[in-house]
Amino acid sequence: GENVEQHPSTLSVQEGDSAVIKCTYSDSASNYFPWYKQELGKGPQLIIDIRSNVGEKKDQRIAVTLNKTAKHFSLHITETQPEDSAVYFCAASRPGGYQKVTFGTGTKLQVIP
Amino acid sequence: GAVVSQHPSWVICKSGTSVKIECRSLDFQATTMFWYRQFPKQSLMLMATSNEGSKATYEQGVEKDKFLINHASLTLSTLTVTSAHPEDSSFYICSARYREQFFGPGTRLTVL
């Protein structure tokens, strides 16, 4: 099955700086890579996603890059704000079927004001 | 759009009792819903996949007789934790698929 590794497990940045979270996946058939933000005591919220036919996607301060050859993808948050503090999960999913999503281990991001 | 709700948001029960958690897709029809379990400071662990009108598919190591899943309609799936024990205490999260997966807010279960 799919295995998704995520680094770092914790990340502290100063407000205004950038944050980068990296993930690798094992299943070359995976073609959908969402990123989720989870605040304490809440369910994960989809913040951005990318499909394998695209190398990069950007939405305001958030961007995701995908390298299919190397099987890794990254989340970039620029101009971080205290409200960006949360746990971020990367995930990978195969096409078709029940589209099970395999989650990474999570990164706790702390933005220091 | 694409809102998923869960009820209750938290529940405390005595050991040996059963607890039912509801997951609803409020503004879309979901042919597939997923149930996850999350321990503190850990990732989400998929428990089972449920499709409307058919039996759920459980992940390896998840007891189907303990975690009963019913997906009676395109907008409702339920998870019943039967004969709950303290080790079942966890954060249970459902998701519903509409192109992408959208997650519910989670249910905190505490078994005394």
Side-chain angles (χ1 to χ4, degrees), chain A residues 32 34 36 38 41-46 49 51 87 89 93 96-106 108, chain B residues 32 34 36 38 41-44 46 49 51 54 57 59 91 93 97 99-106 108:
Chain A
Y32 176 62
Y36 296 92
Q38 186 179 30
K42 298 183 179 180
Q45 275 193 305
L46 179 70
D49 56 15
R51 296 189 184 274
V87 178
F89 291 98
S93 173
Y98 297 140
Q99 287 191 358
K100 288 194 297 185
V101 171
T102 301
F103 283 83
T105 48
K108 184 175 181 180
Chain B
T32 305
F34 303 86
Y36 295 84
Q38 186 178 34
K41 298 184 180 180
Q42 292 190 23
S43 189
L44 284 76
L46 180 65
T49 302
N51 286 282
S54 62
T57 302
E59 295 299 298
F91 193 50
I93 308 171
R97 184 168 73 89
R99 296 190 185 134
E100 295 84 26
Q101 280 193 37
F102 294 92
F103 287 82
R108 172 76 56 194

Side-chain angles (χ1 to χ4, degrees), chain A residues 9-79:
Chain A
S9 56
T10 60
L11 179 59
S12 290
V13 299
Q14 291 291 123
E15 182 177 358
D17 286 351
S18 295
V20 180
I21 302 171
K22 298 183 179 182
C23 290
T24 60
Y25 63 99
S26 61
D27 187 351
S28 57
S30 290
N31 73 336
Y32 176 62
F33 307 93
W35 285 88
Y36 296 92
K37 176 183 180 183
Q38 186 179 30
E39 296 177 341
L40 191 63
K42 298 183 179 180
Q45 275 193 305
L46 179 70
I47 56 172
I48 195 168
D49 56 15
I50 191 168
R51 296 189 184 274
S52 59
N53 58 345
V54 175
E56 184 174 354
K57 185 176 178 181
K58 189 174 182 180
D59 183 5
Q60 299 182 336
R61 298 186 296 109
I62 296 173
V64 58
T65 59
L66 170 65
N67 183 326
K68 276 213 75 179
T69 304
K71 287 193 257 182
H72 65 69
F73 54 115
S74 301
L75 177 72
H76 304 251
I77 306 174
T78 59
E79 301 173 27

Side-chain angles (χ1 to χ4, degrees), chain B residues 20-23 35 68-72 76-80:
Chain B
K20 180 185 283 188
I21 303 169
E22 290 186 349
C23 176
W35 287 95
L68 301 179
I69 292 172
N70 184 276
H71 193 156
L76 173 64
S77 177
T78 60
L79 167 69
T80 302

Side-chain angles (χ1 to χ4, degrees), chain B residues 8-112:
Chain B
S9 56
W10 60 270
V11 56
I12 301 172
C13 70
K14 292 182 178 179
S15 186
T17 60
S18 294
V19 174
K20 180 185 283 188
I21 303 169
E22 290 186 349
C23 176
R24 293 181 185 273
S25 55
L26 298 185
D27 50 4
F28 65 100
Q29 292 183 330
T31 53
T32 305
M33 289 186 171
F34 303 86
W35 287 95
Y36 295 84
R37 183 174 182 177
Q38 186 178 34
F39 291 105
K41 298 184 180 180
Q42 292 190 23
S43 189
L44 284 76
M45 183 188 76
L46 180 65
M47 298 174 66
T49 302
S50 76
N51 286 282
E52 184 263 339
S54 62
K55 289 184 179 180
T57 302
Y58 290 81
E59 295 299 298
Q60 193 171 9
V62 178
E63 300 175 60
K64 62 181 180 181
D65 294 331
K66 181 167 186 62
F67 299 100
L68 301 179
I69 292 172
N70 184 276
H71 193 156
S73 75
L74 288 172
T75 60
L76 173 64
S77 177
T78 60
L79 167 69
T80 302
V81 183
T82 62
S83 187
H85 288 96
E87 56 265 32
D88 298 324
S89 298
S90 190
F91 193 50
Y92 291 87
I93 308 171
C94 72
S95 71
R97 184 168 73 89
Y98 176 70
R99 296 190 185 134
E100 295 84 26
Q101 280 193 37
F102 294 92
F103 287 82
T107 297
R108 172 76 56 194
L109 170 62
T110 301
V111 185
L112 302 177

